[in-house]
Amino acid sequence: MNAAARILLLGGTGDALQIARQLGPRHVYSLAGLGRVPQDLACSVRVGGFGGADGLADYLTMEAITLVLDATHPYAAQISNNAARACAATGTCYWALRRPAWQPRIGDDWRSVASWSELVTALAPFKRPLFTSGREPLSHLDEIPPHQHWLVRCLDPHPGNAGAQVLGVRGPFTSEGERALFVAHGIDVIVSKNSGGSATEAKLEVAREMRLPVLMHARPTLPVAEREFTDVAALIDCLLSEKLA
Ligand code: NAP
């Protein structure tokens, strides 16, 4: 690959935005359309799905993309699988940023859950869960057992209901803030994805300190990329040193 490379950066994460800030005008940053769309980038920005792997393959061909950089969230498995398939079908390079998972430390009480129904079972003994796992709980607000009150923290503003309060806020979060939140709401269990990175890690430190269990959604399996980077700085260094950006 050389300086004529044309990159499609698949994003929707803080890491992806950092990469997008390095890209010149011939490259494209793609967002699903759920969050904020940055207005201050040199590269172009496109918003919305491609129509599955086939639609993405058509897009790669039409736009003469030579490298797909997958910097989507580790739980956004659909778009990663689509990207790997579309790249294989069109002979396009597929690189990925694969954020390492958080690892449990001494004092942690993490319990892995593989599905919503496993989560509901694991939650049964608790009264005041804090959900920090995205919007999924919003579609289950009518199913809250009478002995529970949910605090759901996600990006989407939502009125909640008698059994749930929804905090529509965006990280990063500090240990001080997390401690104050857990105490104010009498939180007795945390629900989390194993997102990795530092922006939302403070909840785990505070859970350890307060001896609160964490119900951790298992990570999905992601496709293997031709090159995988575990941190954003290494990926940006590579783009700059190979004059791809
Ligand atoms: P997903 O289940 O993997 O993808 C669902 C569909 O959304 C894809 O098939 C694709 O539609 C479209 N899509 C996803 N990312 C896209 C992108 N960057 N550009 C264009 N289309 C995209 O994804 P998700 O879990 O709903 O997450 C959606 C977005 O939010 C992702 O970009 C992800 O990086 C970001 N995000 C997700 C999480 C999370 O916990 N899942 C957390 C933080 C940020 P088509 O099939 O029509 O192409």
Side-chain angles (χ1 to χ4, degrees), residues 191-216:
V191 180
S192 179
K193 289 179 175 169
N194 193 332
S195 301
S198 58
T200 57
E201 196 178 9
K203 63 187 167 192
L204 301 176
E205 288 161 24
V206 178
R208 187 179 311 126
E209 170 192 309
M210 294 176 67
R211 299 183 180 279
L212 298 179
V214 178
L215 305 184
M216 194 71 93

PDB file of all heavy atoms in Angstrom, residues 191-216:
ATOM      1  N   VAL A 191     -23.803  -3.635  36.109  1.00  0.00           N
ATOM      2  CA  VAL A 191     -23.859  -4.404  34.863  1.00  0.00           C
ATOM      3  C   VAL A 191     -22.995  -3.685  33.843  1.00  0.00           C
ATOM      4  O   VAL A 191     -23.136  -2.465  33.637  1.00  0.00           O
ATOM      5  CB  VAL A 191     -25.306  -4.521  34.341  1.00  0.00           C
ATOM      6  CG1 VAL A 191     -25.337  -5.330  33.054  1.00  0.00           C
ATOM      7  CG2 VAL A 191     -26.207  -5.134  35.398  1.00  0.00           C
ATOM      8  N   SER A 192     -22.082  -4.414  33.214  1.00  0.00           N
ATOM      9  CA  SER A 192     -21.098  -3.762  32.338  1.00  0.00           C
ATOM     10  C   SER A 192     -20.782  -4.633  31.140  1.00  0.00           C
ATOM     11  O   SER A 192     -20.923  -5.858  31.185  1.00  0.00           O
ATOM     12  CB  SER A 192     -19.813  -3.517  33.152  1.00  0.00           C
ATOM     13  OG  SER A 192     -18.820  -2.913  32.367  1.00  0.00           O
ATOM     14  N   LYS A 193     -20.327  -3.977  30.061  1.00  0.00           N
ATOM     15  CA  LYS A 193     -19.616  -4.697  29.004  1.00  0.00           C
ATOM     16  C   LYS A 193     -18.138  -4.636  29.345  1.00  0.00           C
ATOM     17  O   LYS A 193     -17.711  -3.721  30.049  1.00  0.00           O
ATOM     18  CB  LYS A 193     -19.861  -4.017  27.655  1.00  0.00           C
ATOM     19  CG  LYS A 193     -21.271  -4.222  27.153  1.00  0.00           C
ATOM     20  CD  LYS A 193     -21.502  -3.527  25.836  1.00  0.00           C
ATOM     21  CE  LYS A 193     -22.898  -3.861  25.308  1.00  0.00           C
ATOM     22  NZ  LYS A 193     -23.291  -3.025  24.167  1.00  0.00           N
ATOM     23  N   ASN A 194     -17.362  -5.581  28.819  1.00  0.00           N
ATOM     24  CA  ASN A 194     -15.918  -5.512  29.053  1.00  0.00           C
ATOM     25  C   ASN A 194     -15.295  -4.701  27.920  1.00  0.00           C
ATOM     26  O   ASN A 194     -14.642  -5.246  27.021  1.00  0.00           O
ATOM     27  CB  ASN A 194     -15.300  -6.904  29.153  1.00  0.00           C
ATOM     28  CG  ASN A 194     -13.895  -6.819  29.713  1.00  0.00           C
ATOM     29  OD1 ASN A 194     -13.226  -5.808  29.543  1.00  0.00           O
ATOM     30  ND2 ASN A 194     -13.452  -7.867  30.360  1.00  0.00           N
ATOM     31  N   SER A 195     -15.518  -3.378  27.987  1.00  0.00           N
ATOM     32  CA  SER A 195     -15.147  -2.517  26.863  1.00  0.00           C
ATOM     33  C   SER A 195     -13.649  -2.289  26.773  1.00  0.00           C
ATOM     34  O   SER A 195     -13.135  -2.003  25.693  1.00  0.00           O
ATOM     35  CB  SER A 195     -15.856  -1.169  27.003  1.00  0.00           C
ATOM     36  OG  SER A 195     -17.240  -1.373  27.020  1.00  0.00           O
ATOM     37  N   GLY A 196     -12.929  -2.372  27.883  1.00  0.00           N
ATOM     38  CA  GLY A 196     -11.508  -2.034  27.875  1.00  0.00           C
ATOM     39  C   GLY A 196     -11.328  -0.522  27.768  1.00  0.00           C
ATOM     40  O   GLY A 196     -12.296   0.236  27.663  1.00  0.00           O
ATOM     41  N   GLY A 197     -10.059  -0.065  27.852  1.00  0.00           N
ATOM     42  CA  GLY A 197      -9.785   1.377  27.785  1.00  0.00           C
ATOM     43  C   GLY A 197      -9.986   2.032  29.134  1.00  0.00           C
ATOM     44  O   GLY A 197     -10.457   1.419  30.094  1.00  0.00           O
ATOM     45  N   SER A 198      -9.633   3.309  29.193  1.00  0.00           N
ATOM     46  CA  SER A 198      -9.641   3.986  30.495  1.00  0.00           C
ATOM     47  C   SER A 198     -10.888   4.836  30.751  1.00  0.00           C
ATOM     48  O   SER A 198     -11.199   5.151  31.893  1.00  0.00           O
ATOM     49  CB  SER A 198      -8.393   4.871  30.619  1.00  0.00           C
ATOM     50  OG  SER A 198      -8.389   5.795  29.551  1.00  0.00           O
ATOM     51  N   ALA A 199     -11.640   5.178  29.698  1.00  0.00           N
ATOM     52  CA  ALA A 199     -12.711   6.169  29.861  1.00  0.00           C
ATOM     53  C   ALA A 199     -13.799   5.730  30.837  1.00  0.00           C
ATOM     54  O   ALA A 199     -14.369   6.561  31.550  1.00  0.00           O
ATOM     55  CB  ALA A 199     -13.327   6.494  28.494  1.00  0.00           C
ATOM     56  N   THR A 200     -14.090   4.436  30.889  1.00  0.00           N
ATOM     57  CA  THR A 200     -15.194   3.982  31.745  1.00  0.00           C
ATOM     58  C   THR A 200     -14.723   2.940  32.763  1.00  0.00           C
ATOM     59  O   THR A 200     -15.526   2.191  33.317  1.00  0.00           O
ATOM     60  CB  THR A 200     -16.344   3.393  30.884  1.00  0.00           C
ATOM     61  OG1 THR A 200     -15.828   2.318  30.089  1.00  0.00           O
ATOM     62  CG2 THR A 200     -16.941   4.440  29.970  1.00  0.00           C
ATOM     63  N   GLU A 201     -13.410   2.930  33.028  1.00  0.00           N
ATOM     64  CA  GLU A 201     -12.842   1.902  33.908  1.00  0.00           C
ATOM     65  C   GLU A 201     -13.071   2.205  35.396  1.00  0.00           C
ATOM     66  O   GLU A 201     -13.027   1.297  36.235  1.00  0.00           O
ATOM     67  CB  GLU A 201     -11.334   1.791  33.633  1.00  0.00           C
ATOM     68  CG  GLU A 201     -10.714   0.535  34.173  1.00  0.00           C
ATOM     69  CD  GLU A 201      -9.223   0.421  33.847  1.00  0.00           C
ATOM     70  OE1 GLU A 201      -8.640   1.411  33.352  1.00  0.00           O
ATOM     71  OE2 GLU A 201      -8.663  -0.647  34.107  1.00  0.00           O
ATOM     72  N   ALA A 202     -13.325   3.493  35.722  1.00  0.00           N
ATOM     73  CA  ALA A 202     -13.403   3.890  37.137  1.00  0.00           C
ATOM     74  C   ALA A 202     -14.473   3.111  37.891  1.00  0.00           C
ATOM     75  O   ALA A 202     -14.313   2.786  39.075  1.00  0.00           O
ATOM     76  CB  ALA A 202     -13.664   5.394  37.239  1.00  0.00           C
ATOM     77  N   LYS A 203     -15.561   2.754  37.205  1.00  0.00           N
ATOM     78  CA  LYS A 203     -16.641   2.008  37.898  1.00  0.00           C
ATOM     79  C   LYS A 203     -16.115   0.692  38.465  1.00  0.00           C
ATOM     80  O   LYS A 203     -16.584   0.232  39.508  1.00  0.00           O
ATOM     81  CB  LYS A 203     -17.808   1.747  36.932  1.00  0.00           C
ATOM     82  CG  LYS A 203     -17.435   0.861  35.757  1.00  0.00           C
ATOM     83  CD  LYS A 203     -18.560   0.765  34.735  1.00  0.00           C
ATOM     84  CE  LYS A 203     -18.018   0.133  33.451  1.00  0.00           C
ATOM     85  NZ  LYS A 203     -18.935   0.256  32.342  1.00  0.00           N
ATOM     86  N   LEU A 204     -15.143   0.087  37.772  1.00  0.00           N
ATOM     87  CA  LEU A 204     -14.613  -1.205  38.235  1.00  0.00           C
ATOM     88  C   LEU A 204     -13.759  -1.026  39.480  1.00  0.00           C
ATOM     89  O   LEU A 204     -13.791  -1.864  40.390  1.00  0.00           O
ATOM     90  CB  LEU A 204     -13.802  -1.869  37.120  1.00  0.00           C
ATOM     91  CG  LEU A 204     -14.587  -2.143  35.828  1.00  0.00           C
ATOM     92  CD1 LEU A 204     -13.678  -2.714  34.759  1.00  0.00           C
ATOM     93  CD2 LEU A 204     -15.759  -3.084  36.101  1.00  0.00           C
ATOM     94  N   GLU A 205     -12.985   0.067  39.502  1.00  0.00           N
ATOM     95  CA  GLU A 205     -12.172   0.352  40.702  1.00  0.00           C
ATOM     96  C   GLU A 205     -13.082   0.568  41.903  1.00  0.00           C
ATOM     97  O   GLU A 205     -12.836   0.061  42.995  1.00  0.00           O
ATOM     98  CB  GLU A 205     -11.343   1.628  40.500  1.00  0.00           C
ATOM     99  CG  GLU A 205     -10.192   1.462  39.535  1.00  0.00           C
ATOM    100  CD  GLU A 205      -9.706   2.801  39.029  1.00  0.00           C
ATOM    101  OE1 GLU A 205      -9.908   3.826  39.718  1.00  0.00           O
ATOM    102  OE2 GLU A 205      -9.139   2.812  37.920  1.00  0.00           O
ATOM    103  N   VAL A 206     -14.155   1.337  41.690  1.00  0.00           N
ATOM    104  CA  VAL A 206     -15.046   1.653  42.808  1.00  0.00           C
ATOM    105  C   VAL A 206     -15.829   0.409  43.226  1.00  0.00           C
ATOM    106  O   VAL A 206     -16.052   0.170  44.412  1.00  0.00           O
ATOM    107  CB  VAL A 206     -15.962   2.845  42.450  1.00  0.00           C
ATOM    108  CG1 VAL A 206     -16.931   3.151  43.574  1.00  0.00           C
ATOM    109  CG2 VAL A 206     -15.115   4.067  42.122  1.00  0.00           C
ATOM    110  N   ALA A 207     -16.212  -0.416  42.261  1.00  0.00           N
ATOM    111  CA  ALA A 207     -16.900  -1.672  42.596  1.00  0.00           C
ATOM    112  C   ALA A 207     -15.995  -2.550  43.464  1.00  0.00           C
ATOM    113  O   ALA A 207     -16.442  -3.154  44.440  1.00  0.00           O
ATOM    114  CB  ALA A 207     -17.304  -2.412  41.321  1.00  0.00           C
ATOM    115  N   ARG A 208     -14.706  -2.595  43.108  1.00  0.00           N
ATOM    116  CA  ARG A 208     -13.739  -3.398  43.895  1.00  0.00           C
ATOM    117  C   ARG A 208     -13.649  -2.847  45.310  1.00  0.00           C
ATOM    118  O   ARG A 208     -13.743  -3.579  46.287  1.00  0.00           O
ATOM    119  CB  ARG A 208     -12.373  -3.319  43.197  1.00  0.00           C
ATOM    120  CG  ARG A 208     -11.296  -4.213  43.783  1.00  0.00           C
ATOM    121  CD  ARG A 208      -9.995  -4.058  42.983  1.00  0.00           C
ATOM    122  NE  ARG A 208     -10.198  -4.159  41.554  1.00  0.00           N
ATOM    123  CZ  ARG A 208      -9.803  -3.246  40.657  1.00  0.00           C
ATOM    124  NH1 ARG A 208      -9.160  -2.164  41.034  1.00  0.00           N
ATOM    125  NH2 ARG A 208     -10.057  -3.402  39.377  1.00  0.00           N
ATOM    126  N   GLU A 209     -13.501  -1.533  45.382  1.00  0.00           N
ATOM    127  CA  GLU A 209     -13.359  -0.868  46.690  1.00  0.00           C
ATOM    128  C   GLU A 209     -14.606  -1.082  47.553  1.00  0.00           C
ATOM    129  O   GLU A 209     -14.504  -1.334  48.750  1.00  0.00           O
ATOM    130  CB  GLU A 209     -13.140   0.621  46.374  1.00  0.00           C
ATOM    131  CG  GLU A 209     -13.182   1.601  47.470  1.00  0.00           C
ATOM    132  CD  GLU A 209     -13.227   3.011  46.837  1.00  0.00           C
ATOM    133  OE1 GLU A 209     -12.381   3.318  45.971  1.00  0.00           O
ATOM    134  OE2 GLU A 209     -14.126   3.786  47.205  1.00  0.00           O
ATOM    135  N   MET A 210     -15.801  -1.031  46.929  1.00  0.00           N
ATOM    136  CA  MET A 210     -17.049  -1.160  47.696  1.00  0.00           C
ATOM    137  C   MET A 210     -17.535  -2.608  47.757  1.00  0.00           C
ATOM    138  O   MET A 210     -18.621  -2.869  48.274  1.00  0.00           O
ATOM    139  CB  MET A 210     -18.141  -0.260  47.071  1.00  0.00           C
ATOM    140  CG  MET A 210     -17.827   1.223  47.189  1.00  0.00           C
ATOM    141  SD  MET A 210     -19.047   2.295  46.359  1.00  0.00           S
ATOM    142  CE  MET A 210     -20.500   2.044  47.353  1.00  0.00           C
ATOM    143  N   ARG A 211     -16.731  -3.530  47.196  1.00  0.00           N
ATOM    144  CA  ARG A 211     -17.054  -4.968  47.189  1.00  0.00           C
ATOM    145  C   ARG A 211     -18.398  -5.241  46.509  1.00  0.00           C
ATOM    146  O   ARG A 211     -19.206  -6.054  46.992  1.00  0.00           O
ATOM    147  CB  ARG A 211     -17.042  -5.541  48.605  1.00  0.00           C
ATOM    148  CG  ARG A 211     -15.680  -5.406  49.260  1.00  0.00           C
ATOM    149  CD  ARG A 211     -15.632  -6.031  50.635  1.00  0.00           C
ATOM    150  NE  ARG A 211     -14.317  -5.880  51.231  1.00  0.00           N
ATOM    151  CZ  ARG A 211     -13.269  -6.657  50.954  1.00  0.00           C
ATOM    152  NH1 ARG A 211     -13.375  -7.631  50.099  1.00  0.00           N
ATOM    153  NH2 ARG A 211     -12.101  -6.440  51.533  1.00  0.00           N
ATOM    154  N   LEU A 212     -18.643  -4.556  45.397  1.00  0.00           N
ATOM    155  CA  LEU A 212     -19.880  -4.785  44.641  1.00  0.00           C
ATOM    156  C   LEU A 212     -19.609  -5.766  43.509  1.00  0.00           C
ATOM    157  O   LEU A 212     -18.597  -5.641  42.807  1.00  0.00           O
ATOM    158  CB  LEU A 212     -20.385  -3.468  44.037  1.00  0.00           C
ATOM    159  CG  LEU A 212     -20.758  -2.366  45.021  1.00  0.00           C
ATOM    160  CD1 LEU A 212     -21.206  -1.118  44.267  1.00  0.00           C
ATOM    161  CD2 LEU A 212     -21.862  -2.846  45.951  1.00  0.00           C
ATOM    162  N   PRO A 213     -20.497  -6.729  43.280  1.00  0.00           N
ATOM    163  CA  PRO A 213     -20.324  -7.610  42.126  1.00  0.00           C
ATOM    164  C   PRO A 213     -20.534  -6.855  40.808  1.00  0.00           C
ATOM    165  O   PRO A 213     -21.284  -5.868  40.767  1.00  0.00           O
ATOM    166  CB  PRO A 213     -21.414  -8.666  42.305  1.00  0.00           C
ATOM    167  CG  PRO A 213     -22.100  -8.364  43.573  1.00  0.00           C
ATOM    168  CD  PRO A 213     -21.676  -7.030  44.076  1.00  0.00           C
ATOM    169  N   VAL A 214     -19.869  -7.351  39.773  1.00  0.00           N
ATOM    170  CA  VAL A 214     -20.037  -6.797  38.418  1.00  0.00           C
ATOM    171  C   VAL A 214     -20.507  -7.936  37.521  1.00  0.00           C
ATOM    172  O   VAL A 214     -19.826  -8.955  37.406  1.00  0.00           O
ATOM    173  CB  VAL A 214     -18.707  -6.224  37.878  1.00  0.00           C
ATOM    174  CG1 VAL A 214     -18.901  -5.699  36.453  1.00  0.00           C
ATOM    175  CG2 VAL A 214     -18.173  -5.123  38.790  1.00  0.00           C
ATOM    176  N   LEU A 215     -21.682  -7.755  36.915  1.00  0.00           N
ATOM    177  CA  LEU A 215     -22.170  -8.739  35.941  1.00  0.00           C
ATOM    178  C   LEU A 215     -21.662  -8.283  34.579  1.00  0.00           C
ATOM    179  O   LEU A 215     -22.047  -7.231  34.070  1.00  0.00           O
ATOM    180  CB  LEU A 215     -23.696  -8.797  35.968  1.00  0.00           C
ATOM    181  CG  LEU A 215     -24.308  -9.078  37.352  1.00  0.00           C
ATOM    182  CD1 LEU A 215     -25.822  -9.222  37.254  1.00  0.00           C
ATOM    183  CD2 LEU A 215     -23.701 -10.328  37.982  1.00  0.00           C
ATOM    184  N   MET A 216     -20.734  -9.073  34.023  1.00  0.00           N
ATOM    185  CA  MET A 216     -19.982  -8.639  32.849  1.00  0.00           C
ATOM    186  C   MET A 216     -20.476  -9.389  31.615  1.00  0.00           C
ATOM    187  O   MET A 216     -20.391 -10.623  31.566  1.00  0.00           O
ATOM    188  CB  MET A 216     -18.498  -8.940  33.108  1.00  0.00           C
ATOM    189  CG  MET A 216     -17.538  -8.278  32.179  1.00  0.00           C
ATOM    190  SD  MET A 216     -17.426  -6.495  32.462  1.00  0.00           S
ATOM    191  CE  MET A 216     -16.056  -6.407  33.603  1.00  0.00           C
TER     192      MET A 216
END
